[in-house]
Amino acid sequence: IITEKPTACQKISSILSQKKHKKLQKKGSKVVFYESVINGERVIVVSGIGHLFQATRKNKDKSNPWQYPFWEVTWAPSHELKRSLKRNEDFVNFIKELAKDADTFINACDYDIEGSTIGYCILKYCCPPGAVEKAKRMKFSSMTEKEILNSFNNLLPSLNFELVEAGLTRHEVDLL
């Protein structure tokens, strides 16, 4: 289960596991995740830290970085684009490591354009091929126990690709 931020990760894990979850931390980093057993299955809840990926110029000419206009856009880890986001590298690398062994993926980021974009990018760039297509979606509007449990018990069968496309497009247009 992928969440947008560490506080949501802790809250969602606590609610879903009925407080019987283990808080674990990646050795040598600040990345915290939670492990529990829900309905007999091992579940890992991990957090992004906002936008781990950003739109950027494709095939940037390093000898002339101010060359405009440009029209081709790609997505890259935010820590590679801004030194101030170096801490994001731990999250990206750790999610990649965890995702290798996962067989189910759930986007539990905020159910809005930004949360849909954040979750999609994590699934696309940190998870194995096919994760986006088979990912499920939790849809909740508040972090109450009732809403989280209802959302988990009634997962949407796929991501909301209209919200995803709206978010990707907005970021790409902002860049252009």
Side-chain angles (χ1 to χ4, degrees), residues 66-146:
W66 297 102
Q67 184 179 6
Y68 292 96
F70 64 92
W71 306 111
E72 292 188 63
V73 176
T74 190
W75 286 76
S78 56
H79 65 272
E80 292 178 5
L81 303 174
K82 293 182 184 174
R83 278 186 288 219
S84 63
L85 298 175
K86 183 74 175 142
R87 69 184 177 144
N88 291 9
E89 185 174 11
D90 273 350
F91 285 85
V92 168
N93 290 336
F94 186 64
I95 293 169
K96 283 180 180 180
E97 189 179 310
L98 276 178
K100 288 179 196 173
D101 298 325
D103 56 8
T104 302
F105 302 92
I106 299 171
N107 179 358
C109 295
D110 295 349
Y111 198 83
D112 58 14
I113 291 174
E114 289 309 304
S116 295
T117 305
I118 290 167
Y120 169 83
C121 286
I122 291 171
L123 289 162
K124 181 170 182 172
Y125 301 114
C126 293
C127 299
V132 167
E133 293 77 18
K134 69 179 184 179
K136 297 182 179 357
R137 186 67 159 103
M138 286 178 65
K139 181 180 180 181
F140 51 89
S141 57
S142 67
M143 295 291 283
T144 65
E145 184 171 335
K146 181 181 176 183

Side-chain angles (χ1 to χ4, degrees), residues 11-28:
K11 178 94 175 190
I12 289 170
S13 178
S14 177
I15 291 169
L16 293 179
S17 66
Q18 298 299 305
K19 318 255 187 273
K20 295 175 188 160
H21 61 168
K22 279 194 290 189
K23 177 180 179 181
L24 302 166
Q25 189 161 5
K26 180 185 174 205
K27 191 174 183 174

